[in-house]
């Protein structure tokens, strides 16, 4: 658990260095700790180091941890693929959803968001490389989807999210990150107010920050490898 604190300090420093060497030195970048397949104790350790934003990608696993950590002041982000039968739990338990990619899901989230809660923050996942196995709206269809989502009163459309192809040179993703930024700027110029670019993971967050990311989603660089047994000390 001591390692988590050290990893957070290092990661925040790397984010800061990337920011000052990039295009947007004044931007605010949120470090979203991706805690999927990590224990509640690991989340508590990150929380004790000052992290307040946590990301989970399956509803069942997340709900258990949300209950265990109920007393903490955490902003929970759902970053996984969204199945229709899970929208109710997501709308009731999370403050952010990063991977909305079709109107049907957005409408369900809107209808199921409790009325006494603030609107649910939403990003649209863009499938930039046209990968068949990945979710995400195509770049060509983002604008139409965005227009439909902003008309849903229980949602607050915040921005765009990308999950670029893995195993490439992180620098190669700079082109995709820049393209997502351009896409966001185009929408903003078209009167769709967006303030968020959810881009960058452990392997490529510095590249993403240099290109204007406002939320980096980082798992392994904070918590270590997910496949290794959870450490208990
Ligand atoms: C798991 C996951 C991450 C974090 O990946 P790391 O490489 O461990 O930093 C980020 N975004 C999404 C959507 C994920 O599923």
């Amino acid at each position: 658990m001591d390692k988590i604190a050290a990893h957070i300090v290092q990661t925040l420093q790397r984010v800061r260095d990337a920011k000052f060497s990039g295009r947007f030195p004044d931007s605010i970048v949120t470090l979203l700790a991706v805690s999927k397949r990590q224990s509640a104790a690991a989340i508590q350790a990150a929380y004790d180091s000052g992290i307040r934003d946590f990301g989970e990608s399956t509803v069942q696993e997340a709900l258990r941890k949300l209950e265990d950590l109920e007393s903490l002041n955490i902003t929970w982000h759902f970053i996984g693929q969204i199945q229709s039968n899970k929208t109710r739990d997501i709308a009731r338990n999370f403050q952010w959803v990063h991977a909305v990619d079709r109107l049907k899901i957005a409408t369900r989230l809107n209808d199921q968001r409790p009325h006494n809660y603030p609107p649910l923050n939403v990003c649209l996942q863009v499938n930039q490389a046209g990968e068949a196995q990945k979710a995400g709206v195509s770049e060509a269809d983002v604008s139409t989807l965005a227009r439909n989502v902003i008309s849903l009163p229980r949602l607050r459309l915040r921005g765009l999210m990308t999950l670029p192809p893995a195993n490439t040179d992180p620098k190669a993703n700079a082109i995709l990150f820049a393209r997502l930024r351009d896409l966001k700027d185009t929408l903003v110029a078209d009167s769709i107010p967006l303030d968020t670019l959810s881009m960058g993971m452990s392997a490529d967050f510095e590249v993403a920050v240099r290109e204007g990311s406002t939320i980096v989603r980082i798992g392994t660089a904070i918590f270590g490898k997910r496949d290794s047994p959870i450490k208990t000390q």
Side-chain angles (χ1 to χ4, degrees):
M1 294 294 158
D2 290 351
K3 281 207 181 124
I4 293 175
H7 289 163
I8 288 169
V9 171
Q10 286 159 11
T11 305
L12 287 170
Q13 186 61 50
R14 287 171 64 190
V15 167
R16 196 169 312 131
D17 290 348
K19 210 161 80 168
F20 290 130
S21 68
R23 294 162 185 268
F24 306 96
D26 297 329
S27 66
I28 292 169
V29 180
T30 298
L31 176 52
L32 168 55
V34 176
S35 49
K36 63 186 182 196
R37 280 149 62 198
Q38 303 292 347
S39 65
I43 296 173
Q44 177 77 58
Y47 186 90
D48 292 342
S49 294
I51 300 294
R52 291 293 177 269
D53 292 85
F54 290 88
E56 290 283 336
S57 57
T58 58
V59 171
Q60 224 185 346
E61 180 188 335
L63 291 185
R64 242 183 304 129
K65 293 184 214 173
L66 261 72
E67 208 180 310
D68 287 348
L69 300 166
E70 204 174 26
S71 62
L72 304 185
N73 179 26
I74 288 178
T75 299
W76 289 103
H77 299 242
F78 191 78
I79 61 170
Q81 294 320 310
I82 307 159
Q83 296 161 310
S84 294
N85 63 352
K86 295 294 190 318
T87 51
R88 180 176 299 277
D89 281 335
I90 295 170
R92 286 169 175 266
N93 289 285
F94 288 83
Q95 287 98 314
W96 281 75
V97 180
H98 286 239
V100 170
D101 66 352
R102 52 197 195 277
L103 186 57
K104 180 188 164 199
I105 292 293
T107 304
R108 289 179 66 91
L109 290 170
N110 178 73
D111 294 348
Q112 294 168 341
R113 180 70 170 171
H115 280 270
N116 55 334
Y117 286 24
L120 181 62
N121 296 293
V122 162
C123 292
L124 304 180
Q125 181 177 353
V126 184
N127 189 342
Q128 295 189 285
E131 294 170 277
Q133 79 281 14
K134 269 189 200 159
V137 60
S138 71
E139 289 177 331
D141 293 336
V142 172
S143 168
T144 306
L145 180 59
R147 268 186 206 296
N148 286 316
V149 170
I150 53 173
S151 73
L152 299 171
R154 307 298 304 137
L155 304 185
R156 180 169 170 211
L157 182 62
R158 298 296 296 267
L160 306 177
M161 180 271 221
T162 187
L163 192 60
N167 300 322
T168 51
D169 172 8
K171 290 212 181 69
N173 288 342
I175 296 162
L176 295 180
F177 294 143
R179 228 160 72 196
L180 200 72
R181 183 189 70 229
D182 288 345
L183 194 52
K184 171 183 158 263
D185 290 347
T186 305
L187 295 173
V188 170
D190 232 4
S191 309
I192 298 176
L194 304 176
D195 62 10
T196 300
L197 285 170
S198 170
M199 57 188 201
M201 320 201 318
S202 293
D204 59 14
F205 70 88
E206 285 150 308
V207 178
V209 167
R210 285 199 284 271
E211 295 298 337
S213 173
T214 65
I215 301 182
V216 289
R217 308 179 310 268
I218 303 195
T220 38
I222 291 177
F223 295 110
K225 277 215 172 18
R226 282 180 286 276
D227 289 338
S228 63
I230 291 166
K231 292 182 189 69
T232 49
Q233 61 130 23

